[in-house]
Amino acid sequence: MWAPAPGAFQASNLARFSLANGFVPRDRNPLRYDRALAEKSVFGKLIVQGGVTSGILNALVVEDLPGPGTVFLEVAWKFVKAVGVDEEITGRVEVKEVRPDKPICKIETSVRNGQGELCLTGTATVFTVPLQGA
């Protein structure tokens, strides 16, 4: 089984994301906030934090596959291409293994940009908590 999810992260949300994660005022990386400097860098654009890139996988796992009540136990992710601000990305998860004794599964994960280029790849182990009344 697999499920995809599209999304994009606007520049106006960068500061809110940092604040919500306790990074402000520490995370003032010019690659995220200074367009002129970022455009002169190897990336050529403003880029988002890795947590933003992987965030689409969090949403996909808890909403679609395996679904509500799921939490991450372990992740092994490689960030292979930077994601730009306002860049469309698509996350994908695929269940590869399910434990017969517990609601734990191993999944393959990936995030691609609008051009189909791989931005994040890896695996995760997740646990799905049975929810009463859900």
Side-chain angles (χ1 to χ4, degrees), residues 58-71 127-132 134:
N58 295 324
L60 184 55
V61 163
V62 302
E63 292 295 327
D64 297 311
L65 190 66
T70 302
V71 296
F127 174 69
T128 304
V129 176
L131 300 175
Q132 300 299 324

Side-chain angles (χ1 to χ4, degrees), residues 39-50:
E39 288 176 351
K40 294 177 188 171
S41 76
V42 65
F43 302 112
K45 60 188 173 188
L46 287 174
I47 61 172
V48 299
Q49 293 96 326

Side-chain angles (χ1 to χ4, degrees), residues 25-104:
R26 293 187 307 255
D27 184 3
R28 297 304 302 165
N29 187 335
L31 293 173
R32 306 189 214 299
Y33 299 101
D34 188 324
R35 186 172 303 277
L37 286 175
E39 288 176 351
K40 294 177 188 171
S41 76
V42 65
F43 302 112
K45 60 188 173 188
L46 287 174
I47 61 172
V48 299
Q49 293 96 326
V52 170
T53 303
S54 63
I56 197 168
L57 298 172
N58 295 324
L60 184 55
V61 163
V62 302
E63 292 295 327
D64 297 311
L65 190 66
T70 302
V71 296
F72 284 89
L73 298 177
E74 179 179 289
V75 297
W77 288 331
K78 292 180 184 177
F79 297 86
V80 296
K81 184 168 183 62
V83 172
V85 171
D86 297 324
E87 188 171 3
E88 184 78 18
I89 58 174
T90 300
R92 178 183 161 127
V93 299
E94 182 177 354
V95 175
K96 298 304 273 186
E97 180 182 320
V98 179
R99 278 187 48 175
D101 61 329
K102 293 183 181 180
I104 294 175

